[in-house]
Amino acid sequence: GVEQERMSPLKCQTRCISASPDGRGFVVGSTEGRVAVEYLAEDEGGQSRKYAFKCHRQGDLVFPVNALAFHPVYGTFASGGADGVVNIWDGENRKRLSQFHQYPTSVADVCFSHDGGLLAIAASYTFERGQVPHPADNVYIRTVAESDAKPRKRAAP
């Protein structure tokens, strides 16, 4: 059966979702270039921690978030956008940990290996600009360093 049902926390079309490896929450991406970090706990503590943030933007241009994937070891997550960029985020500390070079076309999907040491990236035009000439579809496999994905310790207040 359904454990929970809720409205999307984002205003525009939901494009992707990924459940956290610890089972405590999930992230949702949308066509408006935003990611929402949500928690399953329905108590005040869980709901007070949820938030959304802007990403995959270049100046005034906003690009859809096409893909989200959690790192299986660190619980951080990668986002891939129609801007051709992949970012890794620390959702708990609300920080971007790393940004990989821009790929030749939209990032359509991302997926970590079981140990988090590799990230598969599908670069494929997703027609956000309509039927126009575009680069060929490609798949990239890149290594993920600990410094790319491991949360950094927070400085003492």
Side-chain angles (χ1 to χ4, degrees):
V2 174
E3 185 166 317
Q4 283 188 22
E5 180 179 335
R6 51 173 87 170
M7 297 282 292
S8 174
L10 302 172
K11 294 176 186 159
C12 294
Q13 179 191 32
T14 298
R15 178 64 59 94
C16 51
I17 188 167
S18 186
S20 63
D22 64 10
R24 296 182 316 142
F26 58 96
V27 289
V28 179
S30 78
T31 57
E32 66 180 323
R34 286 182 184 267
V35 169
V37 177
E38 293 278 310
Y39 295 89
L40 295 176
E42 293 182 351
D43 61 9
E44 186 65 33
Q47 294 307 297
S48 66
R49 293 177 36 216
K50 67 183 184 178
Y51 66 97
F53 62 94
K54 297 176 183 176
C55 55
H56 297 284
R57 293 161 187 253
Q58 295 173 358
D60 291 337
L61 290 176
V62 177
F63 295 90
V65 178
N66 293 330
L68 294 165
F70 274 94
H71 190 282
V73 176
Y74 300 127
T76 53
F77 63 91
S79 67
D83 56 351
V85 173
V86 173
N87 296 299
I88 298 183
W89 306 92
D90 176 353
E92 289 292 318
N93 294 313
R94 302 181 181 206
K95 300 280 184 203
R96 182 172 63 195
L97 297 174
S98 56
Q99 183 175 69
F100 301 145
H101 74 278
Q102 189 170 15
Y103 292 89
T105 190
S106 308
V107 173
D109 204 2
V110 294
C111 183
F112 285 101
S113 61
H114 74 282
D115 65 357
L118 297 174
L119 181 64
I121 300 158
S124 180
Y125 181 60
T126 55
F127 295 89
E128 58 278 352
R129 293 187 178 115
Q131 188 68 37
V132 297
H134 54 83
D137 297 348
N138 282 300
V139 173
Y140 301 89
I141 308 295
R142 66 166 293 137
T143 57
V144 178
E146 184 176 284
S147 61
D148 291 331
K150 185 176 181 181
R152 297 179 182 101
K153 293 192 186 243
R154 294 183 89 165

